[in-house]
PDB file of all heavy atoms in Angstrom:
ATOM      1  N   ARG A 102       0.879  -1.223  -0.002  1.00 52.00           N
ATOM      2  CA  ARG A 102       0.074   0.047   0.018  1.00 52.00           C
ATOM      3  C   ARG A 102       0.883   1.280   0.022  1.00 52.00           C
ATOM      4  O   ARG A 102       1.730   1.410   0.872  1.00 52.00           O
ATOM      5  CB  ARG A 102      -0.934  -0.028   1.165  1.00 52.00           C
ATOM      6  CG  ARG A 102      -2.071  -1.088   1.110  1.00 52.00           C
ATOM      7  CD  ARG A 102      -3.128  -0.897   2.102  1.00 52.00           C
ATOM      8  NE  ARG A 102      -4.164  -1.977   1.834  1.00 52.00           N
ATOM      9  CZ  ARG A 102      -4.419  -2.838   2.605  1.00 52.00           C
ATOM     10  NH1 ARG A 102      -3.794  -3.093   3.687  1.00 52.00           N
ATOM     11  NH2 ARG A 102      -5.313  -3.813   2.311  1.00 52.00           N
ATOM     12  N   SER A 103       0.589   2.039  -1.030  1.00 53.00           N
ATOM     13  CA  SER A 103       1.443   3.349  -1.194  1.00 53.00           C
ATOM     14  C   SER A 103       0.689   4.122  -2.120  1.00 53.00           C
ATOM     15  O   SER A 103      -0.542   4.136  -2.427  1.00 53.00           O
ATOM     16  CB  SER A 103       2.834   2.792  -1.814  1.00 53.00           C
ATOM     17  OG  SER A 103       2.520   2.410  -3.197  1.00 53.00           O
ATOM     18  N   LEU A 104       1.354   5.262  -2.514  1.00 53.00           N
ATOM     19  CA  LEU A 104       0.636   6.294  -3.348  1.00 53.00           C
ATOM     20  C   LEU A 104       0.372   5.650  -4.746  1.00 53.00           C
ATOM     21  O   LEU A 104      -0.392   6.250  -5.516  1.00 53.00           O
ATOM     22  CB  LEU A 104       1.508   7.578  -3.612  1.00 53.00           C
ATOM     23  CG  LEU A 104       1.601   8.508  -2.357  1.00 53.00           C
ATOM     24  CD1 LEU A 104       2.572   9.593  -2.602  1.00 53.00           C
ATOM     25  CD2 LEU A 104       0.288   9.036  -2.030  1.00 53.00           C
ATOM     26  N   ASN A 105       0.975   4.563  -5.047  1.00 52.00           N
ATOM     27  CA  ASN A 105       0.698   3.893  -6.389  1.00 52.00           C
ATOM     28  C   ASN A 105      -0.262   2.764  -6.326  1.00 52.00           C
ATOM     29  O   ASN A 105      -0.182   1.968  -7.230  1.00 52.00           O
ATOM     30  CB  ASN A 105       2.029   3.435  -6.961  1.00 52.00           C
ATOM     31  CG  ASN A 105       2.930   4.629  -7.272  1.00 52.00           C
ATOM     32  OD1 ASN A 105       2.352   5.753  -7.853  1.00 52.00           O
ATOM     33  ND2 ASN A 105       4.166   4.571  -6.966  1.00 52.00           N
ATOM     34  N   SER A 106      -0.835   2.511  -5.152  1.00 51.00           N
ATOM     35  CA  SER A 106      -1.748   1.391  -4.900  1.00 51.00           C
ATOM     36  C   SER A 106      -3.162   1.853  -4.620  1.00 51.00           C
ATOM     37  O   SER A 106      -3.466   3.047  -4.171  1.00 51.00           O
ATOM     38  CB  SER A 106      -1.200   0.465  -3.917  1.00 51.00           C
ATOM     39  OG  SER A 106      -1.440   1.033  -2.664  1.00 51.00           O
ATOM     40  N   ASP A 107      -4.119   0.946  -4.542  1.00 56.00           N
ATOM     41  CA  ASP A 107      -5.467   1.198  -3.880  1.00 56.00           C
ATOM     42  C   ASP A 107      -5.356   0.755  -2.495  1.00 56.00           C
ATOM     43  O   ASP A 107      -5.224  -0.387  -2.082  1.00 56.00           O
ATOM     44  CB  ASP A 107      -6.481   0.421  -4.782  1.00 56.00           C
ATOM     45  CG  ASP A 107      -6.847   0.971  -6.034  1.00 56.00           C
ATOM     46  OD1 ASP A 107      -6.951   2.099  -6.214  1.00 56.00           O
ATOM     47  OD2 ASP A 107      -6.906   0.226  -6.986  1.00 56.00           O
ATOM     48  N   ILE A 108      -5.415   1.868  -1.554  1.00 55.00           N
ATOM     49  CA  ILE A 108      -5.242   1.390  -0.221  1.00 55.00           C
ATOM     50  C   ILE A 108      -6.673   1.101   0.465  1.00 55.00           C
ATOM     51  O   ILE A 108      -6.603   0.793   1.687  1.00 55.00           O
ATOM     52  CB  ILE A 108      -4.656   2.593   0.594  1.00 55.00           C
ATOM     53  CG1 ILE A 108      -5.413   3.861   0.510  1.00 55.00           C
ATOM     54  CG2 ILE A 108      -3.255   2.869  -0.006  1.00 55.00           C
ATOM     55  CD1 ILE A 108      -5.103   5.069   1.312  1.00 55.00           C
ATOM     56  N   SER A 109      -7.621   1.151  -0.204  1.00 52.00           N
ATOM     57  CA  SER A 109      -8.869   0.854   0.310  1.00 52.00           C
ATOM     58  C   SER A 109      -8.754  -0.647   0.873  1.00 52.00           C
ATOM     59  O   SER A 109      -8.550  -1.511   0.265  1.00 52.00           O
ATOM     60  CB  SER A 109     -10.099   0.926  -0.712  1.00 52.00           C
ATOM     61  OG  SER A 109     -11.252   0.547  -0.387  1.00 52.00           O
ATOM     62  N   TYR A 110      -9.281  -0.741   2.077  1.00 46.00           N
ATOM     63  CA  TYR A 110      -9.166  -2.010   2.790  1.00 46.00           C
ATOM     64  C   TYR A 110     -10.482  -2.881   2.803  1.00 46.00           C
ATOM     65  O   TYR A 110     -10.438  -4.022   2.532  1.00 46.00           O
ATOM     66  CB  TYR A 110      -8.571  -1.705   4.275  1.00 46.00           C
ATOM     67  CG  TYR A 110      -8.294  -2.900   5.094  1.00 46.00           C
ATOM     68  CD1 TYR A 110      -7.131  -3.700   4.764  1.00 46.00           C
ATOM     69  CD2 TYR A 110      -9.102  -3.450   6.016  1.00 46.00           C
ATOM     70  CE1 TYR A 110      -6.884  -4.860   5.506  1.00 46.00           C
ATOM     71  CE2 TYR A 110      -8.868  -4.465   6.810  1.00 46.00           C
ATOM     72  CZ  TYR A 110      -7.740  -5.204   6.539  1.00 46.00           C
ATOM     73  OH  TYR A 110      -7.449  -6.306   7.235  1.00 46.00           O
ATOM     74  N   PHE A 111     -11.486  -2.123   3.406  1.00 43.00           N
ATOM     75  CA  PHE A 111     -12.759  -2.832   3.580  1.00 43.00           C
ATOM     76  C   PHE A 111     -13.604  -2.809   2.363  1.00 43.00           C
ATOM     77  O   PHE A 111     -14.454  -3.666   2.247  1.00 43.00           O
ATOM     78  CB  PHE A 111     -13.544  -2.160   4.799  1.00 43.00           C
ATOM     79  CG  PHE A 111     -12.818  -2.537   6.093  1.00 43.00           C
ATOM     80  CD1 PHE A 111     -12.359  -1.430   6.819  1.00 43.00           C
ATOM     81  CD2 PHE A 111     -12.713  -3.769   6.641  1.00 43.00           C
ATOM     82  CE1 PHE A 111     -11.638  -1.619   8.052  1.00 43.00           C
ATOM     83  CE2 PHE A 111     -12.120  -4.019   7.854  1.00 43.00           C
ATOM     84  CZ  PHE A 111     -11.637  -2.904   8.589  1.00 43.00           C
ATOM     85  N   GLY A 112     -13.438  -1.821   1.545  1.00 49.00           N
ATOM     86  CA  GLY A 112     -14.195  -1.844   0.370  1.00 49.00           C
ATOM     87  C   GLY A 112     -15.656  -1.299   0.585  1.00 49.00           C
ATOM     88  O   GLY A 112     -16.500  -1.605  -0.280  1.00 49.00           O
ATOM     89  N   VAL A 113     -15.940  -0.636   1.744  1.00 52.00           N
ATOM     90  CA  VAL A 113     -17.349  -0.098   1.962  1.00 52.00           C
ATOM     91  C   VAL A 113     -17.555   1.176   1.352  1.00 52.00           C
ATOM     92  O   VAL A 113     -18.637   1.656   1.419  1.00 52.00           O
ATOM     93  CB  VAL A 113     -17.575  -0.131   3.487  1.00 52.00           C
ATOM     94  CG1 VAL A 113     -17.531  -1.578   4.056  1.00 52.00           C
ATOM     95  CG2 VAL A 113     -16.607   0.719   4.139  1.00 52.00           C
ATOM     96  N   GLY A 114     -16.386   1.874   0.804  1.00 71.00           N
ATOM     97  CA  GLY A 114     -16.665   3.128   0.202  1.00 71.00           C
ATOM     98  C   GLY A 114     -16.625   4.239   0.997  1.00 71.00           C
ATOM     99  O   GLY A 114     -16.761   4.292   2.248  1.00 71.00           O
ATOM    100  N   GLY A 115     -16.427   5.515   0.337  1.00 77.00           N
ATOM    101  CA  GLY A 115     -16.370   6.760   0.954  1.00 77.00           C
ATOM    102  C   GLY A 115     -17.596   7.090   1.838  1.00 77.00           C
ATOM    103  O   GLY A 115     -17.461   7.709   2.899  1.00 77.00           O
ATOM    104  N   LYS A 116     -18.767   6.725   1.351  1.00 79.00           N
ATOM    105  CA  LYS A 116     -19.928   7.240   1.996  1.00 79.00           C
ATOM    106  C   LYS A 116     -20.079   6.514   3.418  1.00 79.00           C
ATOM    107  O   LYS A 116     -20.370   7.182   4.440  1.00 79.00           O
ATOM    108  CB  LYS A 116     -21.156   6.760   1.236  1.00 79.00           C
ATOM    109  CG  LYS A 116     -21.357   7.484  -0.046  1.00 79.00           C
ATOM    110  CD  LYS A 116     -22.419   7.071  -0.952  1.00 79.00           C
ATOM    111  CE  LYS A 116     -22.002   5.719  -1.401  1.00 79.00           C
ATOM    112  NZ  LYS A 116     -21.088   5.604  -2.345  1.00 79.00           N
ATOM    113  N   GLN A 117     -19.748   5.135   3.525  1.00 80.00           N
ATOM    114  CA  GLN A 117     -19.710   4.496   4.753  1.00 80.00           C
ATOM    115  C   GLN A 117     -18.617   5.106   5.681  1.00 80.00           C
ATOM    116  O   GLN A 117     -18.915   5.227   6.866  1.00 80.00           O
ATOM    117  CB  GLN A 117     -19.600   3.004   4.535  1.00 80.00           C
ATOM    118  CG  GLN A 117     -20.846   2.303   4.105  1.00 80.00           C
ATOM    119  CD  GLN A 117     -21.098   2.659   2.637  1.00 80.00           C
ATOM    120  OE1 GLN A 117     -20.235   2.788   1.825  1.00 80.00           O
ATOM    121  NE2 GLN A 117     -22.357   2.605   2.263  1.00 80.00           N
ATOM    122  N   ALA A 118     -17.582   5.332   5.059  1.00 83.00           N
ATOM    123  CA  ALA A 118     -16.380   5.971   5.880  1.00 83.00           C
ATOM    124  C   ALA A 118     -16.858   7.281   6.435  1.00 83.00           C
ATOM    125  O   ALA A 118     -16.523   7.537   7.707  1.00 83.00           O
ATOM    126  CB  ALA A 118     -15.137   6.209   4.938  1.00 83.00           C
ATOM    127  N   VAL A 119     -17.502   8.105   5.733  1.00 85.00           N
ATOM    128  CA  VAL A 119     -17.935   9.398   6.217  1.00 85.00           C
ATOM    129  C   VAL A 119     -18.815   9.256   7.464  1.00 85.00           C
ATOM    130  O   VAL A 119     -18.629   9.899   8.349  1.00 85.00           O
ATOM    131  CB  VAL A 119     -18.592  10.090   5.045  1.00 85.00           C
ATOM    132  CG1 VAL A 119     -19.515  11.317   5.588  1.00 85.00           C
ATOM    133  CG2 VAL A 119     -17.546  10.746   4.033  1.00 85.00           C
ATOM    134  N   PHE A 120     -19.815   8.371   7.211  1.00 85.00           N
ATOM    135  CA  PHE A 120     -20.883   8.267   8.290  1.00 85.00           C
ATOM    136  C   PHE A 120     -20.222   7.353   9.548  1.00 85.00           C
ATOM    137  O   PHE A 120     -20.853   7.404  10.573  1.00 85.00           O
ATOM    138  CB  PHE A 120     -22.147   7.646   7.854  1.00 85.00           C
ATOM    139  CG  PHE A 120     -22.790   8.605   7.036  1.00 85.00           C
ATOM    140  CD1 PHE A 120     -22.975   8.402   5.608  1.00 85.00           C
ATOM    141  CD2 PHE A 120     -23.325   9.740   7.473  1.00 85.00           C
ATOM    142  CE1 PHE A 120     -23.635   9.373   4.795  1.00 85.00           C
ATOM    143  CE2 PHE A 120     -24.100  10.690   6.678  1.00 85.00           C
ATOM    144  CZ  PHE A 120     -24.200  10.477   5.366  1.00 85.00           C
ATOM    145  N   PHE A 121     -19.122   6.796   9.335  1.00 84.00           N
ATOM    146  CA  PHE A 121     -18.451   6.067  10.465  1.00 84.00           C
ATOM    147  C   PHE A 121     -17.810   7.198  11.208  1.00 84.00           C
ATOM    148  O   PHE A 121     -17.740   7.252  12.501  1.00 84.00           O
ATOM    149  CB  PHE A 121     -17.493   5.031   9.983  1.00 84.00           C
ATOM    150  CG  PHE A 121     -16.737   4.454  11.105  1.00 84.00           C
ATOM    151  CD1 PHE A 121     -17.302   3.580  11.887  1.00 84.00           C
ATOM    152  CD2 PHE A 121     -15.371   4.874  11.435  1.00 84.00           C
ATOM    153  CE1 PHE A 121     -16.648   2.925  13.004  1.00 84.00           C
ATOM    154  CE2 PHE A 121     -14.661   4.295  12.521  1.00 84.00           C
ATOM    155  CZ  PHE A 121     -15.305   3.296  13.304  1.00 84.00           C
ATOM    156  N   VAL A 122     -17.089   8.289  10.632  1.00 85.00           N
ATOM    157  CA  VAL A 122     -16.319   9.328  11.251  1.00 85.00           C
ATOM    158  C   VAL A 122     -17.359  10.370  11.722  1.00 85.00           C
ATOM    159  O   VAL A 122     -17.095  10.900  12.870  1.00 85.00           O
ATOM    160  CB  VAL A 122     -15.383   9.922  10.229  1.00 85.00           C
ATOM    161  CG1 VAL A 122     -14.670  11.185  10.866  1.00 85.00           C
ATOM    162  CG2 VAL A 122     -14.309   8.952   9.791  1.00 85.00           C
ATOM    163  N   GLY A 123     -18.363  10.706  11.053  1.00 86.00           N
ATOM    164  CA  GLY A 123     -19.143  11.808  11.398  1.00 86.00           C
ATOM    165  C   GLY A 123     -20.617  11.709  11.032  1.00 86.00           C
ATOM    166  O   GLY A 123     -21.162  10.566  10.776  1.00 86.00           O
ATOM    167  N   GLN A 124     -21.337  12.794  10.883  1.00 87.00           N
ATOM    168  CA  GLN A 124     -22.759  12.817  10.574  1.00 87.00           C
ATOM    169  C   GLN A 124     -23.177  13.282   9.302  1.00 87.00           C
ATOM    170  O   GLN A 124     -24.328  13.333   8.888  1.00 87.00           O
ATOM    171  CB  GLN A 124     -23.497  13.672  11.674  1.00 87.00           C
ATOM    172  CG  GLN A 124     -23.239  13.246  13.105  1.00 87.00           C
ATOM    173  CD  GLN A 124     -23.753  11.745  13.427  1.00 87.00           C
ATOM    174  OE1 GLN A 124     -24.837  11.417  13.192  1.00 87.00           O
ATOM    175  NE2 GLN A 124     -22.856  10.892  13.966  1.00 87.00           N
ATOM    176  N   SER A 125     -22.237  13.927   8.613  1.00 88.00           N
ATOM    177  CA  SER A 125     -22.572  14.371   7.193  1.00 88.00           C
ATOM    178  C   SER A 125     -21.340  14.460   6.373  1.00 88.00           C
ATOM    179  O   SER A 125     -20.271  14.331   6.805  1.00 88.00           O
ATOM    180  CB  SER A 125     -23.274  15.840   7.493  1.00 88.00           C
ATOM    181  OG  SER A 125     -22.187  16.714   7.847  1.00 88.00           O
ATOM    182  N   ALA A 126     -21.654  14.637   4.981  1.00 88.00           N
ATOM    183  CA  ALA A 126     -20.530  14.622   4.061  1.00 88.00           C
ATOM    184  C   ALA A 126     -20.803  15.840   3.082  1.00 88.00           C
ATOM    185  O   ALA A 126     -21.969  15.963   2.783  1.00 88.00           O
ATOM    186  CB  ALA A 126     -20.476  13.304   3.159  1.00 88.00           C
ATOM    187  N   ARG A 127     -19.795  16.598   2.751  1.00 90.00           N
ATOM    188  CA  ARG A 127     -19.969  17.705   1.846  1.00 90.00           C
ATOM    189  C   ARG A 127     -18.809  17.504   0.800  1.00 90.00           C
ATOM    190  O   ARG A 127     -17.727  17.707   1.226  1.00 90.00           O
ATOM    191  CB  ARG A 127     -19.744  19.028   2.681  1.00 90.00           C
ATOM    192  CG  ARG A 127     -19.935  20.270   1.753  1.00 90.00           C
ATOM    193  CD  ARG A 127     -20.052  21.509   2.612  1.00 90.00           C
ATOM    194  NE  ARG A 127     -20.010  22.812   1.880  1.00 90.00           N
ATOM    195  CZ  ARG A 127     -19.093  23.719   1.854  1.00 90.00           C
ATOM    196  NH1 ARG A 127     -18.142  23.607   2.639  1.00 90.00           N
ATOM    197  NH2 ARG A 127     -19.199  24.810   1.012  1.00 90.00           N
ATOM    198  N   MET A 128     -19.220  17.351  -0.339  1.00 90.00           N
ATOM    199  CA  MET A 128     -18.327  17.247  -1.571  1.00 90.00           C
ATOM    200  C   MET A 128     -18.321  18.430  -2.395  1.00 90.00           C
ATOM    201  O   MET A 128     -19.519  18.799  -2.899  1.00 90.00           O
ATOM    202  CB  MET A 128     -18.652  15.890  -2.399  1.00 90.00           C
ATOM    203  CG  MET A 128     -18.619  14.680  -1.494  1.00 90.00           C
ATOM    204  SD  MET A 128     -16.982  13.891  -1.604  1.00 90.00           S
ATOM    205  CE  MET A 128     -16.862  13.379  -3.169  1.00 90.00           C
ATOM    206  N   VAL A 129     -17.180  19.033  -2.533  1.00 93.00           N
ATOM    207  CA  VAL A 129     -17.145  20.256  -3.407  1.00 93.00           C
ATOM    208  C   VAL A 129     -16.189  19.925  -4.415  1.00 93.00           C
ATOM    209  O   VAL A 129     -14.989  19.565  -4.153  1.00 93.00           O
ATOM    210  CB  VAL A 129     -16.720  21.627  -2.582  1.00 93.00           C
ATOM    211  CG1 VAL A 129     -16.584  22.812  -3.492  1.00 93.00           C
ATOM    212  CG2 VAL A 129     -17.572  21.805  -1.429  1.00 93.00           C
TER     213      VAL A 129
END
């Protein structure tokens, strides 16, 4: 795992990661 690899581990995606960390996501 490095800048040249896919470091995603669980494969649950950014949305699940966002709601594990907090309560909302804002994509700009």
Side-chain angles (χ1 to χ4, degrees):
R102 290 194 178 111
S103 66
L104 286 178
N105 296 317
S106 73
D107 288 313
I108 62 176
S109 176
Y110 185 74
F111 291 113
V113 297
K116 295 172 291 297
Q117 285 74 28
V119 163
F120 287 112
F121 178 79
V122 175
Q124 303 296 311
S125 64
R127 180 172 177 241
M128 299 275 289
V129 182

